[in-house]
Amino acid sequence: MSTIEDLRGRLWSDEPSKVDFLAARAIAETVSDAVLDDALDPLAIGLSGPWGSGKTTVLELIKADLDSRSDPENAKIITVRTDPWRYDPAVGAKESLIGEVLDAIAAELTERLKDVEESKGEKIKKLLKRLSDRVDWAKAVKLAAKSSLTLQIPGVSDVLDLIREPASEGSDAGDQPRGLAGFKAEFAELLGAEEMAHVRRVAVLVDDLDRCLVDTVVETLEAIRLFLSVEGMAFVIAADEDRVADAIRTRLPDSSMPTERPEDEDALPAEPPSKLYLHKIVQTTVPLPALGAFDTESYVLLLQLQNRVDQRLTDKQLEKVITECHRLRMAGALDDLQAPDGLDVQRELSFARRLTTILYEKLRGNPRRIKRFLNDLNIRRSIAARRGIELDFDVVAKLMVLEVLLPDQFQSVLSWLRTGELRDRLESLEAQANRPKEPPVPAPPADLADRAPDEPETAADAAGAEPPDTAEDARPPEAEEAPTQAASAAAVAPHFAEDMIRWAKLPPDLHDLDLSPYLHLAASFRGDLLVSAELPQHLRDLAAQLASTRTVDRRQLTDESLRALTTDDVDQLLRHLGLRARDRVQEQRGAVAGIVRLATAHVAVQPATLDAFRRLPASDLQPGTAVILAGVDIPGMKDVINALAAQLPDGNIKKALTTPPPKGGKR
């Protein structure tokens, strides 16, 4: 399966999940118990958690649980889902919420009374209509007030003259207002009517209140407390309690509200008035916990299995894996997870295990942010694949961890790419990350500590023998040509932050891969320019021409202009092209051709040219590069070719590398 095919359907919707991946059913059932507790009637209960913590999903589970407990004939539970964030601001939050509740009750009564004689249901219908009229007229007043402020017509006073309800015949009372005054008493009468006796509870599930503007937050809470808080009503308000309190504080500043009476020194700190106001309306709040490390791992696993493209899981198979995750929660590890028969989940399990710790810490156990990270990962990999950048899923995941969760360290990697040090730095970083900790160096024996400085330590010292680690003949020849990996790592190690070392421990290793195209793509998404920082401006265009594979660019750069370069300029260009040929496989052929031109124009740099060719990764050698190298005629080139060929399997690239062009001609 190709990368692009493998990505189809691998994005997750931000809509509330209908499947309980978060083990939230226990919370939902606890809230349902409170909703149906007659001792708490009426009830307003909060469901608090930050954005993305799964509040909407829990509300869906509460609704499903209440619906399962509902007895349409003797103990009906009417559930009303409402979202103040979507209310029409021109109508008003109070009127919108009350209207939705009345609509749900009206729908139930319409169904209930359809087979009842009209005369028997007339009273309840009139009461329901009177309540609806109050809401409609309240909306009219609000619209009129808004019109008077904007269009100057009609005025509020004009509308108020029209919304007086005439008193009944024979009554001494004057006209009554048609607004929300008196609504609560009539609403209580409606719920207590004989025709509503089969309704056990009207449960209103309020979502996204913490996303609303200040006026909407306060008006919604006022509607719950002042107009709808009657027997038979229950409200579940899903919102971040702190954000709601902040909204109340904006409308009702702490300075304008009475403070809690001071207590003795051992008492808890007094709550701010905004919290006291909220707690007067919401009796108790159920906090929605952030995902722990185990839940993060199981959540990542289940998300991958849910959207698996190859060998998709049936609903029954997915449910079995969910059950397994719940079973293993007490153990705190998924090691003993038993997958459904014939289903291999090791790839997804391995991926979840590798990323869990860093996702858990950096994303604070927030389900939405975890899901968003996985979506970003799949989108990035899809775009890269369509641009011809083929990288394994695990490689892109590791790079995305760095980019999204460790942005400062990602900038460091981009800087390594700019300066042509990417592979060296990654190799040193991974060597340090994967190196076992060295045991502490033991203190010297007491007799050595007391020895005179010129006293020999061993018999060999007394005989004047040179220690083997400093003898010239003990050093391998290659030690003079290039620093060892350990020495390189030691030189760079102090610059690596702990987060970077921790990231480097994630498999797979990256230093042998061509990451340049992907990093250029990632940098472009961030608006970063990857200008070669190691080259001065006057050499950048020249370097681009030297590395170009276009004939017109090569012809514009004459041999005379190359011979006119200073020694320092040639050294900088050679180093730049050498790193470019090694680190950027797509530019390898052009960079190697540029090095050959420099070596032809400046014989003095031919030894450095050989060093640049030795550093080419044999596994990344391209056919065009092999042809160019085979035709290079400088002293020592044959040894370089033989060393590269020894690392290659038999095939076309090895054949092209070891077959020189015919004399007097070019291949």
Side-chain angles (χ1 to χ4, degrees):
M1 179 176 292
S2 71
T3 300
I4 294 175
E5 290 173 341
D6 185 46
L7 288 166
R8 291 182 196 158
R10 290 188 63 89
L11 299 184
W12 292 268
S13 170
D14 193 39
E15 294 300 313
S17 175
K18 298 184 181 299
V19 186
D20 183 18
F21 285 175
L22 305 176
R25 194 173 305 280
I27 297 174
E29 291 175 353
T30 299
V31 173
S32 295
D33 289 343
V35 166
L36 300 178
D37 189 343
D38 292 335
L40 300 175
D41 185 21
L43 170 73
I45 187 171
L47 186 66
S48 182
W51 290 358
S53 58
K55 298 186 295 296
T56 303
T57 296
V58 176
L59 278 186
E60 290 294 330
L61 292 173
I62 293 172
K63 183 180 185 307
D65 187 51
L66 290 174
D67 289 345
S68 69
R69 303 192 197 191
S70 178
D71 178 357
E73 294 301 323
N74 301 311
K76 178 70 178 282
I77 302 171
I78 301 175
T79 55
V80 184
R81 289 282 276 109
T82 185
D83 187 347
W85 194 30
R86 304 179 190 275
Y87 289 169
D88 183 351
V91 173
K94 285 197 293 286
E95 294 76 14
S96 297
L97 175 58
I98 294 171
E100 288 189 353
V101 172
L102 288 180
D103 287 345
I105 294 174
E108 172 64 24
L109 288 174
T110 299
E111 180 67 23
R112 186 77 176 179
L113 300 177
K114 65 181 181 180
D115 297 326
V116 177
E117 294 180 16
E118 186 172 347
S119 59
K120 291 185 178 180
E122 191 66 25
K123 178 181 177 182
I124 192 71
K125 290 178 181 178
K126 285 183 178 180
L127 180 56
L128 185 59
K129 184 177 185 304
R130 190 158 67 244
L131 288 169
S132 298
D133 285 346
R134 287 184 180 276
V135 176
D136 291 341
W137 281 106
K139 292 179 183 178
V141 173
K142 187 153 292 190
L143 288 171
K146 186 166 186 174
S147 297
S148 110
L149 293 174
T150 55
L151 304 177
Q152 299 301 320
I153 53 173
V156 176
S157 59
D158 298 326
V159 175
L160 290 176
D161 289 340
L162 300 174
I163 60 173
R164 308 294 296 181
E165 182 175 342
S168 58
E169 293 184 8
S171 172
D172 296 333
D175 294 348
Q176 298 297 317
R178 278 181 162 172
L180 291 177
F183 179 93
K184 186 172 184 178
E186 292 182 355
F187 183 64
E189 182 183 350
L190 172 67
L191 292 190
E194 181 182 351
E195 292 81 357
M196 289 285 289
H198 69 291
V199 175
R200 181 179 180 184
R201 198 78 78 238
V202 178
V204 183
L205 311 181
V206 183
D207 197 12
D208 286 335
L209 187 62
D210 49 0
R211 295 177 181 269
C212 298
L213 297 176
V214 172
D215 287 347
T216 301
V217 172
V218 175
E219 286 192 20
T220 300
L221 294 174
E222 287 179 347
I224 292 171
R225 181 64 176 174
L226 302 179
F227 301 104
L228 298 175
S229 183
V230 301
E231 287 189 6
M233 293 294 298
F235 294 85
V236 181
I237 305 170
D240 185 332
E241 182 177 289
D242 291 333
R243 288 184 180 271
V244 173
D246 288 342
I248 295 171
R249 187 179 297 111
T250 303
R251 177 77 172 269
L252 303 169
D254 291 349
S255 59
S256 66
M257 301 176 68
T259 58
E260 193 174 16
R261 286 180 297 179
E263 301 290 347
D264 57 55
E265 294 180 356
D266 295 330
L268 291 173
E271 287 190 296
S274 54
K275 281 287 186 75
L276 295 174
Y277 178 94
L278 178 60
H279 293 167
K280 182 67 176 177
I281 299 170
V282 179
Q283 290 97 309
T284 189
T285 298
V286 178
L288 203 59
L291 300 184
F294 174 86
D295 288 316
T296 298
E297 183 177 348
S298 64
Y299 186 56
V300 173
L301 169 67
L302 292 170
L303 285 176
Q304 292 179 91
L305 294 177
Q306 181 188 41
N307 279 16
R308 180 191 263 188
V309 176
D310 188 24
Q311 296 183 334
R312 290 188 66 88
L313 276 69
T314 64
D315 292 343
K316 187 175 181 180
Q317 287 176 317
L318 184 60
E319 188 60 39
K320 182 172 182 179
V321 179
I322 294 172
T323 302
E324 275 292 288
C325 290
H326 293 346
R327 178 181 71 84
L328 295 171
R329 177 166 287 100
M330 293 301 295
L334 293 175
D335 297 340
D336 297 329
L337 186 140
Q338 298 176 9
D341 294 340
L343 183 66
D344 184 6
V345 300
Q346 288 307 308
R347 179 170 179 251
E348 291 85 357
L349 189 58
S350 176
F351 175 80
R353 183 173 292 118
R354 287 200 304 272
L355 292 190
T356 287
T357 303
I358 198 162
L359 288 178
Y360 167 61
E361 292 181 9
K362 299 298 181 180
L363 300 182
R364 305 295 184 187
N366 186 291
R368 176 176 291 141
R369 296 180 70 187
I370 293 172
K371 189 186 294 184
R372 186 179 182 87
F373 173 84
L374 295 177
N375 278 341
D376 291 346
L377 166 60
N378 284 307
I379 287 173
R380 177 66 60 79
R381 185 168 178 245
S382 176
I383 293 173
R386 284 176 164 86
R387 289 193 175 188
I389 305 171
E390 292 283 347
L391 290 175
D392 289 342
F393 182 78
D394 291 342
V395 173
V396 180
K398 182 171 179 175
L399 291 171
M400 282 291 290
V401 166
L402 191 68
E403 181 180 356
V404 176
L405 306 183
L406 301 168
D408 292 340
Q409 308 303 339
F410 184 70
Q411 285 295 334
S412 295
V413 171
L414 293 183
S415 72
W416 299 345
L417 182 62
R418 289 188 187 96
T419 57
E421 302 174 293
L422 181 62
R423 288 205 178 190
D424 284 341
R425 290 277 185 162
L426 284 176
E427 187 174 8
S428 298
L429 171 62
E430 289 171 350
Q432 182 178 352
N434 298 319
R435 186 188 309 137
K437 290 186 176 180
E438 297 180 359
V441 179
D447 60 329
L448 291 182
D450 297 334
R451 185 182 293 118
D454 56 350
E455 184 179 348
E457 296 183 12
T458 65
D461 295 336
E466 187 175 21
D469 59 339
T470 60
E472 288 293 328
D473 56 356
R475 297 175 62 190
E478 59 272 20
E480 298 180 2
E481 299 177 0
T484 64
Q485 175 178 315
S488 175
V492 180
H495 301 287
F496 297 139
E498 286 296 325
D499 275 349
M500 182 73 96
I501 295 174
R502 180 185 182 188
W503 168 79
K505 290 179 183 292
L506 294 174
D509 285 347
L510 304 178
H511 70 272
D512 284 333
L513 303 178
D514 178 24
L515 303 178
S516 174
Y518 178 86
L519 292 176
H520 274 84
L521 176 64
S524 69
F525 282 125
R526 300 163 64 91
D528 289 337
L529 295 177
L530 292 181
V531 178
S532 297
E534 81 280 11
L535 281 179
Q537 290 192 26
H538 74 279
L539 293 179
R540 290 174 186 170
D541 291 339
L542 189 59
Q545 286 180 296
L546 276 169
S548 176
T549 56
R550 298 173 58 200
T551 302
V552 63
D553 291 334
R554 295 198 302 270
R555 286 178 177 173
Q556 287 178 353
L557 187 60
T558 64
D559 293 337
E560 289 76 11
S561 63
L562 289 178
R563 284 192 289 269
L565 291 171
T566 67
T567 302
D568 184 56
D569 285 348
V570 173
D571 289 342
Q572 291 188 73
L573 285 169
L574 186 62
R575 180 180 182 278
H576 168 76
L577 292 175
L579 293 170
R580 196 163 173 174
R582 187 194 61 178
D583 290 350
R584 308 181 192 179
V585 175
Q586 293 177 327
E587 302 175 23
Q588 185 187 89
R589 176 171 167 265
V592 167
I595 293 173
V596 173
R597 290 196 68 185
L598 284 174
T600 303
H602 295 267
V603 178
V605 300
Q606 288 183 357
T609 298
L610 296 178
D611 288 340
F613 291 158
R614 287 191 190 97
R615 293 169 66 84
L616 291 173
S619 58
D620 291 341
L621 204 63
Q622 303 298 294
T625 307
V627 171
I628 295 172
L629 292 175
V632 175
D633 185 18
I634 60 177
M637 189 63 198
K638 186 176 180 180
D639 293 337
V640 173
I641 289 176
N642 290 338
L644 289 172
Q647 303 175 58
L648 290 171
D650 293 337
N652 292 333
I653 295 180
K654 185 173 183 176
K655 183 177 180 180
L657 179 65
T658 56
T659 305
K663 291 184 179 181
K666 295 182 179 180
R667 284 188 297 179

